[in-house]
DNA sequence: CATGAATGAGTTTTCATTCAT
DNA sequence: TATGAATGAAAACTCATTCAT
């Protein structure tokens, strides 16, 4: 049996939030490999053992962190998209909001673009599960575009989605690696223009 | 004394190659974090200590591995590109060869797309240095396309390059995560079509 | 990150004492180079990792050991000296107590006379810092003897101190190397007589 | 069977000398623990393997070094002592020459006073064997002094010898640790005066 | 609920020595 | 004699997790 497997973690509570915020801060500052549980606990103002009342294990902090942050991230984009009518606007909105949300939270950007990717394959798979929600959202936009006759019906939706996500993700990663020295969201129109052309008839 | 200060690693020799091939195999099979130096040595058929006659330390094996493999990878693509005349063909060739080379070497694909990314930031930076050669190659194609009047002169070359690389990279990573269950190079035309549209006037 | 930077070693506690006693015993029995941390931990009845809650690193065990033992060693001699009136008696007391304390603790004698001297220069310097307290004590006695007109005022105090310490130390080391086959403290009168003559007018 | 035990080392030859000189230099410069066989071989201008044609193992280099150097050291003192008539002069000569020879060879002084003492007990024992020749010489002087009625006949010769050697040794060690910042041989008269008083009737 | 002292498994790297040439 | 490439044993230290209080 894997350690801690049969522990029941509380999914809510003030400390739950504290610990997640502490994890983002500590990981962004110190890097994934120097972010010991004890450091996160200290930053969160709780004892080491308390972490394990709220999370099954260290990996669970990271997955939960990603779930919480990504959940809101997707929710916000979904909400905004609902209000837009044209497919072109929807695509621009998706790109802009993706870039905006990460530009608004440098620490989170470092964590999602660099640090969390240093995790092992198993954790990466669980992170990808969370990411699926976002990828579905992209699919929805692409499918709608095809349905509305704006995007090419010959598109391989899977490949198209990989292009959209791969492009935005690469743009963000480059921005993080360049230490946020320029405006990220300002790149949205340029990215949008290219992606729109790529997808259009 | 700084580690390895007075040791000179031999950059060539049969064992040098053996160790690198062993590293690719072991890492692809066991994952980065379960690939102890002793495992690599055993696979290479040399003693643990022999590793350190050829590499400064464990990280150096990984960087060297990437340098060796990526060096040839870029060289091959560069050579082929020189023979092509049309810009469309050049772009297709670049995509196809990128996909082909990784499809031809599943173990290497696993290592470059998943395992090497688990390394720490410092190693990642050294890997990025090596990658620059490939990114420059992409830039060359884009700039040539613009010059020849085929690609839009309004392109932000940096963003365009991030789209090209980000898309292909994402396509490969998805293929690896799906455990190579479909032909990767078969996706080249689809990817090419979209990227071409994205870049064109 | 510098080793041990953010770790705070507890300088007190029952386990702190246990570990130091275990270190003396293990080093005396097995020799410095065969006294692995794990062996000391086992002897102390704690886990390997526990050592590092109380000591920064292995070297720190040795320095602490010497500080603790030497601290008491010096204190005892200091206390006794205060009670003596004649300078001759003071010198005899210093010699006797030095010999007695080491004869009373064979393991400690082995560690201080032989094993700790195998340490590297850096550690030796830290040990010498601790030793300074004892050397100052010797100086005090010599200076008092001069002041009282019993010791020659032409004495070079530094050389005189080196003679006193060098002689006693050599006597103890020989006793340890001869595996404690004779009474050490019984040599005190003989040593005292010679040193007294050497220092006197 | 201990490694290398049944090898026959050549005790002479130009390279034998080269290696010993190289060892003194390397150990004095780098310290005992950073003086790898390969470093000594390089300094001596021979291959690593060649060392083992002249010495049984690394320890044997050190013992041989000590034997060679100490042998000459003792011989010189012995020769000079033979020429002196008075016991006082003999003692002064012994002290002066001891100090002089080490002052003349700083590297050797570092090696004998500090570095070689970091070796393990076994090696220390072999070194002590070599030292015996010197200790016997001291004994001879003391016994002669007693016989001539100058030194007290109540002297415990063993203790007296430990005082003479312990004092001189401590004086040298302090000089080495103070990085030879003062003249060592200049201390001879002061040391001589004290030792003479200590031994005399 | 919360604490934090204690646990102990796990891995890179060095370097004395060998031996085929 | 001489070489130097290859060997492989050996040990300090970290940190996620537990559990008695």
């Amino acid at each position: 049996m894997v350690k801690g497997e049969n522990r029941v973690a509380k999914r809510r509570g003030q400390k739950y939030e504290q610990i997640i915020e502490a994890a983002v801060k500590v990981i962004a500052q110190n890097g994934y490999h120097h972010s010991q549980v004890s450091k996160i606990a200290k930053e969160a103002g709780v004892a080491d053992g308390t972490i394990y009342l709220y999370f099954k294990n260290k990996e669970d902090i990271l997955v939960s962190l990603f779930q919480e942050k990504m959940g809101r991230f997707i929710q916000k984009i979904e909400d905004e998209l609902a209000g837009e009518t044209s497919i072109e606007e929807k695509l621009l909105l998706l790109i802009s909001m993706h870039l905006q949300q990460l530009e608004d939270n440098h620490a989170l950007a470092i964590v999602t673009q660099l640090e969390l990717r240093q995790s092992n394959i198993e954790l990466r798979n669980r992170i990808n599960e969370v990411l699926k929600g976002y990828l579905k959202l992209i699919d929805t936009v692409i499918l709608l575009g095809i349905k509305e006759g704006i995007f090419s019906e010959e598109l391989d939706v899977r490949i198209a989605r990989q292009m959209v996500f791969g492009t935005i993700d690469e743009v963000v990663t480059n921005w993080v690696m360049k230490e946020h020295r320029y405006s990220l969201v300002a790149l949205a129109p340029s990215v949008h223009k290219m992606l729109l052309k790529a997808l259009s008839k």
Side-chain angles (χ1 to χ4, degrees), chain A:
Chain A
M1 188 177 69
V2 172
K3 287 183 193 175
E5 201 175 8
N6 61 347
R7 197 88 70 73
V8 179
K10 297 165 202 164
R11 306 309 311 179
R12 300 294 151 194
Q14 193 203 337
K15 290 196 173 158
Y16 176 80
E17 306 290 346
Q18 273 173 38
I19 293 165
I20 284 188
E21 293 309 321
V24 174
K25 189 170 172 188
V26 168
I27 295 174
Q29 262 176 9
N30 305 281
Y32 180 78
H33 287 297
H34 293 113
S35 296
Q36 298 86 343
V37 170
S38 61
K39 221 178 242 171
I40 295 172
K42 195 174 181 185
E43 175 69 36
V46 301
D48 293 16
T50 304
I51 297 271
Y52 293 87
L53 297 175
Y54 292 88
F55 300 90
K56 263 209 318 273
N57 49 37
K58 187 182 181 183
E59 189 183 290
D60 189 36
I61 307 176
L62 303 176
V63 174
S64 302
L65 178 166
F66 198 74
Q67 282 173 334
E68 293 287 328
K69 296 299 182 183
M70 203 64 198
R72 286 178 219 167
F73 179 95
I74 298 172
Q75 192 57 53
K76 276 194 189 170
I77 299 184
E78 230 166 4
D79 291 352
E80 290 286 329
L81 282 189
E84 279 302 330
T85 43
S86 90
I87 199 72
E88 290 92 338
E89 293 280 354
K90 278 185 199 286
L91 184 62
L92 178 58
L93 200 61
L94 185 140
I95 296 165
S96 300
M97 288 193 68
H98 186 146
L99 300 182
Q100 187 69 61
Q101 292 198 64
L102 290 171
E103 183 157 24
D104 285 348
N105 193 343
H106 285 201
L108 185 61
I110 292 171
V111 172
T112 61
Q113 302 305 120
L114 302 183
E115 303 300 343
L116 243 43
R117 305 192 182 193
Q118 292 178 52
S119 56
N120 59 48
I121 299 294
E122 197 189 350
L123 173 53
R124 292 263 289 288
N125 277 323
R126 296 184 59 191
I127 284 177
N128 280 337
E129 276 309 304
V130 180
L131 212 53
K132 272 191 185 165
Y134 185 51
L135 299 178
K136 275 188 188 166
L137 196 56
I138 297 177
D139 279 2
T140 309
V141 173
I142 295 170
L143 286 167
L144 188 64
I146 295 172
K147 189 178 161 195
E148 291 190 357
I150 293 167
F151 292 166
S152 164
E153 49 203 10
E154 289 174 357
L155 282 185
D156 177 328
V157 178
R158 190 187 40 163
I159 306 283
R161 173 228 302 151
Q162 286 167 17
M163 159 175 272
V164 172
F165 182 77
T167 299
I168 304 177
D169 189 61
E170 182 72 14
V171 166
V172 178
T173 298
N174 273 272
W175 171 76
V176 172
M177 303 257 319
K178 288 278 190 284
E179 286 166 338
H180 329 97
R181 280 197 285 266
Y182 47 86
S183 166
L184 180 57
V185 78
L187 305 178
S190 186
V191 173
H192 177 242
K193 193 170 178 183
M194 286 198 299
L195 285 178
L196 199 59
K197 280 200 289 175
L199 299 171
S200 296
K201 281 194 169 169

